[in-house]
Amino acid sequence: MLNWMGTQKTADGMALLREPHDVISGLPVDDPVAAAVQITEALDAINCADSMTLEERYDDICLLDAATVDHTRSLLREYLQTSRQTKQRESDLWNGAYNCWNELATAYVLCVQHYAADPAAAAGFRKPARVSVGRAMRALRRQLHWLRLRYAAPAPSIWMGLANLYSYIEPENIDEEMLIYPGETSTIKREFLKVLLQSVISTDNLQPPAQDLATFIVSRHASHFVLSRTPGAGCTHAFDLKNPRVPALLSRAPEANAERIYIGAGAAVDALCTALAYIEDTGKTPPELGFTYPIDLEFLTPVLSQIHRDWSGKPAERAHERQKTNARLTVVPGFDHIVAVLEHVEEDPFDFTEKSNAESWLANDVSEGGFGAVIPAVNADWVSVGNVAGIENQATGDWAVGMVRRVERLDGGQQQIGVQVLSRSAQAVRVMREDYAEEPLRITQRMPMDKAVLLTANPAEQAEIELLVADPLRYDDETSVHMSFGDRVLALQLLNVVEKTDACARVRFTVDKVES
């Protein structure tokens, strides 16, 4: 039997076999991690068993598959909605979901393998075999989704399983509609392309909730995707069935023994362009996207823009040339620690007490706009796309502020981090609103001072400046803001919020006047 997933199951699980109804009835309703583990164990027992008929195997898997939905959805909801987990809880959530989808994919692949080994003996299983192919591809996509949430490289078994499933089914009509799940129809081609077109979306700049949104956008536009044995219209990437890995842009030369198929988002590229134009013109959510709940356009628009760029086959070019180097950096995590260390440096640059939370990173490439570094995962549980960090130039003692734009998990427990530098001469400042409580008397009330980080050099000489603030909602475009730095005060007016994360926001102000 073909080893389609890159792993081999052995017949040692019979003792663990339980009736699916018994497993499902015993699942804890308030502990999705434990429920996912129990479903995974039940699937593993089925996958290891060699005495079940194909029909028995398929029926039991379908029952457990149906029970998986609510529990894995709960795992995903907690993973996305809690911005900071303990390392153990993050690991429990991630492993619970990923292992469950991995075992489910294997289960459906084994059904297909059993059928492929003797189609004549299982002639009545043709339709369930096709459904098994589609569901296996769906489970592989869920695995890919969870790997991307952790910024990990896709497992080779995903590409191997996907390539073998497609190669097996391709001689048949891959556009044939089938009832893949109750109330949902799909095709083999659509499920196959969902995995591939999701994989070509870069995770740079996408935090986990934005990645989850991207998954929804993929499903919404899947009917537009194109697939061809030749590089036809709408094709931007190629997938190698003999050497399966992440799809490559067509500009990349194939391997000598490659068996390429060509894919692309097709009309979905124009559909996204139309959606972005609708947002710009109306300030509203495009109805064709099908959202059944309100969504923040400041959250939606950058995600659509990135998907549009990646599906167009035109990845963003680097704004600055990178140079390979090895440089030791002192890094402090998060807004609060950045403010604390900057305030301390101003008072006493030789006092290192505020660096107790600092980490030492080794940068391996740098440019004018940022740097890349490889760091051990054990030191980086706070590191995720969108988090800010303070970076000390050990040669000059100056502090820069950067934002994590890319995280890639490597083998051996390390992570490759890409950081954009927002400012190379950051300063701790205080800001306060000025509200005119009684306009005729010009009596002003200045609110309590907030901590902020000044990102712009020589602010008194600039028409506009940028600040890093904890809460952008405290400021509006109708209220003056006063910024105190050193012995000077600047009167500011809110211009716009450049970007915001869970912990802070970059905000742009115009400089109205400089007060001494």
Side-chain angles (χ1 to χ4, degrees), residues 211 366 421 506:
Q211 291 190 44
V366 297
V421 172
R506 281 173 66 197

Side-chain angles (χ1 to χ4, degrees), residues 79-112:
Y79 198 91
L80 295 176
Q81 291 181 352
T82 307
S83 60
R84 186 173 177 82
Q85 303 275 7
T86 64
K87 195 65 178 175
Q88 185 59 53
R89 184 60 179 172
E90 187 272 344
S91 180
D92 289 344
L93 292 169
W94 192 89
N95 285 312
Y98 182 82
N99 291 340
C100 191
W101 289 118
N102 178 58
E103 210 63 51
L104 187 62
T106 301
Y108 282 121
V109 166
L110 288 172
C111 284
V112 179

Side-chain angles (χ1 to χ4, degrees), residues 33 94 145 225 269 312 360 371 373 387 405 412 420 436 459:
V33 171
W94 192 89
H145 182 43
F225 298 163
V269 175
S312 299
S360 181
F371 65 88
N387 282 359
R405 298 299 191 186
Q420 177 191 3
Y436 290 95

Side-chain angles (χ1 to χ4, degrees), residues 359-411:
E359 299 178 1
S360 181
W361 291 7
L362 186 64
N364 53 17
D365 67 79
V366 297
S367 74
E368 188 65 26
F371 65 88
V374 175
I375 60 175
V378 68
N379 292 335
D381 73 325
W382 63 271
V383 174
S384 63
V385 172
N387 282 359
V388 292
I391 307 109
E392 183 183 27
N393 184 324
Q394 296 188 351
T396 65
D398 293 335
W399 281 86
V401 171
M403 183 171 286
V404 179
R405 298 299 191 186
R406 175 173 53 83
V407 180
E408 179 183 357
R409 293 182 183 252
L410 308 175
D411 294 337

Side-chain angles (χ1 to χ4, degrees), residues 436 438-444:
Y436 290 95
E438 297 183 26
E439 184 69 22
L441 298 177
R442 309 295 293 174
I443 298 175
T444 66

Side-chain angles (χ1 to χ4, degrees), residues 114 122 136 141 188 197 238 282 395 478:
H114 280 288
R141 185 184 177 212
I188 299 297
L197 269 297
T282 68
E478 297 179 356

Side-chain angles (χ1 to χ4, degrees), residues 2 4 112 116 130 133 137 140 158-174 188-189 192 196 227 229 239-244 258-261:
L2 292 176
W4 284 4
V112 179
R130 290 180 58 80
V133 171
M137 289 179 173
L140 290 171
I158 291 178
W159 308 125
M160 183 180 295
L162 196 65
N164 282 309
L165 286 167
Y166 180 82
S167 296
Y168 167 72
I169 206 74
E170 188 187 23
E172 301 187 30
N173 184 4
I174 59 173
I188 299 297
K189 173 183 173 181
F192 179 67
L196 297 181
L227 183 152
R229 276 286 179 173
F239 181 65
D240 189 345
L241 294 171
K242 286 189 176 180
N243 308 284
E259 183 185 351
R260 284 178 134 190
I261 55 174

